[in-house]
Amino acid sequence: MSFKQGIRAWGVAVLCLATLISTEAAARTKPFKMALGDGGGSPQQVMGQKFVELLEQKTDGRHGTLMFLNGQLGDEQSTINDASMGLLDFTLVAINNVTPFSPSVGVLTLPYMMQSLEDAIALTQGEVGQQLVANTVRDANIRIIGWTYTGFRALTNAKRPIHELSDLKGLKMRVPANDIMIDTYRAWGINPTPMAWSETFTGLQLGVVDGQDNPYMTIYAMKFSEVQDYITNIRYLFSIEPLIVSEEVFQAQSDEVQQAILAAGQEATEFSARYLVEQEDKIRAELVSQGMEIIEPANEREWMDRAISQVWPKYYDRLGGKEQLNRILKTLGRDEI
């Protein structure tokens, strides 16, 4: 071999080695992106962080994930849309923001459908949950890989204690832009104000709206005690926040990475349930220590009867028919409608 040939061979070897090293480094270090609507300390952040840790463990450190909190990558519906187009890897959102993309998941936002954490687990982890996952893939090119159990959405306001349904009269209540939730408030006798989540704290602070509803952990994480005085402990909606992966991104992964994503999502889901049980009472006590007053409604049966009788029938067709809802109620050990 001539000197020139030796130099050329050495150069080719160095180039191949550099390419191999850079490829392996890219595989290890190029992170996924995850969008969250809520901030640090929220159930979304806790769930997302657990998933990130588990996925990195299960892929031997090859797949890290960057989390973008507080709607940095857009509001929740925008991030779902980005994920559906393959422009975003993961997003963690409130279930009501998925319904415009896959209407059947609206069953999880029907008032008083879920009446305990056990109900929420039964629906999301059983046949109903499997069907909802398949529907979101079909309808929106996104896949639910985990479920955040955030707890019942309690009612807060800055005006007065709400003991009875009639006490709501005259209050300006913020709700998400979700038909079922809007109709629930209308069934209770008031016309709510749809407002983007990113605008809610400011809206409460400026008095544009008087109140809103969210789980205790979200009320605490978003510092609503600074702008709200009263909490009414209603149990009309158990809040679930799914962790979503872009189906395009998911299908682009190897079988090994796909299984790691699914396993990390399942383990993070189980962690979320434990976290809710361990933390909710502590957070309620902390909100009281911050000056909020918690009120038990005098007769929540009236709230329930109005919501079920006036809201449910409007959505039978959209949610798969009355027979489908009866199958779900049977799963929960409840009477048919």
Side-chain angles (χ1 to χ4, degrees):
M1 177 185 294
S2 70
F3 178 75
K4 287 184 178 180
Q5 289 174 324
I7 290 293
R8 187 178 298 112
W10 177 82
V12 170
V14 169
L15 179 61
C16 289
L17 180 60
T19 300
L20 177 62
I21 291 173
S22 64
T23 300
E24 290 181 347
R28 284 198 307 272
T29 61
K30 183 180 180 181
F32 290 123
K33 291 182 179 180
M34 179 189 294
L36 286 73
D38 291 350
S42 66
Q44 286 187 2
Q45 187 268 332
V46 171
M47 170 71 168
Q49 187 60 47
K50 176 56 68 171
F51 173 80
V52 168
E53 294 170 0
L54 289 166
L55 181 59
E56 189 162 357
Q57 291 172 10
K58 292 178 184 301
T59 59
D60 296 324
R62 295 192 306 276
H63 287 283
T65 306
L66 297 176
M67 296 172 61
F68 295 84
L69 308 178
N70 289 313
Q72 293 178 67
L73 300 185
D75 63 38
E76 292 189 356
Q77 289 194 17
S78 295
T79 62
I80 295 172
N81 190 60
D82 287 347
S84 74
M85 295 189 295
L87 303 177
L88 176 65
D89 304 311
F90 299 100
T91 185
L92 219 166
V93 302
I95 192 68
N96 51 275
N97 284 316
V98 183
T99 55
F101 300 88
S102 187
S104 65
V105 301
V107 71
L108 300 178
T109 68
L110 279 178
Y112 297 101
M113 169 59 77
M114 294 176 287
Q115 299 183 10
S116 65
L117 170 60
E118 290 71 26
D119 283 356
I121 292 172
L123 290 188
T124 55
Q125 298 300 299
E127 292 183 11
V128 174
Q130 292 171 9
Q131 186 60 56
L132 295 179
V133 170
N135 290 352
T136 59
V137 174
R138 177 199 66 201
D139 298 338
N141 202 39
I142 56 175
R143 179 182 294 265
I144 297 172
I145 56 171
W147 306 88
T148 313
Y149 303 115
T150 315
F152 286 102
R153 295 177 74 107
L155 187 77
T156 75
N157 85 97
K159 292 291 187 181
R160 55 180 176 266
I162 304 299
H163 295 277
E164 300 178 356
L165 198 50
S166 59
D167 294 332
L168 279 177
K169 187 175 181 180
L171 289 183
K172 296 174 292 184
M173 299 299 299
R174 176 266 175 185
V175 294
N178 175 271
D179 290 344
I180 294 177
M181 297 173 76
I182 291 170
D183 283 337
T184 298
Y185 274 88
R186 287 175 175 164
W188 290 338
I190 66 171
N191 193 31
T193 302
M195 180 178 287
W197 181 234
S198 59
E199 300 170 2
T200 299
F201 186 92
T202 302
L204 295 168
Q205 189 176 42
L206 299 178
V208 177
V209 288
D210 300 315
Q212 59 87 54
D213 67 71
N214 258 295
Y216 284 98
M217 293 199 290
T218 303
I219 294 167
Y220 177 73
M222 302 307 291
K223 303 185 186 302
F224 282 169
S225 62
E226 297 178 5
V227 292
Q228 300 278 268
D229 299 313
Y230 306 103
I231 302 175
T232 301
N233 191 42
I234 58 173
R235 301 169 69 84
Y236 89 104
L237 182 58
F238 191 98
S239 187
I240 294 177
E241 300 175 278
L243 172 59
I244 290 167
V245 63
S246 164
E247 184 66 6
E248 184 174 328
V249 171
F250 182 76
Q251 294 300 336
Q253 307 306 311
S254 66
D255 289 344
E256 179 187 7
V257 174
Q258 286 184 1
Q259 291 307 309
I261 289 171
L262 295 175
Q266 179 61 36
E267 290 182 33
T269 297
E270 295 165 3
F271 170 81
S272 174
R274 295 194 301 271
Y275 183 81
L276 175 62
V277 171
E278 293 168 359
Q279 297 296 320
E280 189 172 47
D281 285 346
K282 297 176 185 177
I283 286 172
R284 283 175 52 139
E286 182 61 26
L287 289 170
V288 171
S289 75
Q290 293 175 1
M292 299 193 79
E293 178 183 348
I294 298 178
I295 298 103
E296 295 295 333
N299 179 21
E300 194 170 358
R301 188 73 213 187
E302 182 182 4
W303 304 59
M304 181 186 297
D305 289 346
R306 284 203 197 181
I308 291 176
S309 65
Q310 296 183 40
V311 178
W312 283 35
K314 293 182 65 173
Y315 294 91
Y316 287 160
D317 291 341
R318 186 187 301 187
L319 301 179
K322 192 173 181 179
E323 296 77 11
Q324 170 67 2
L325 290 180
N326 279 330
R327 284 193 290 271
I328 293 173
L329 290 170
K330 185 177 180 180
T331 299
L332 300 176
R334 305 251 298 277
D335 293 336
E336 294 186 353
I337 49 178

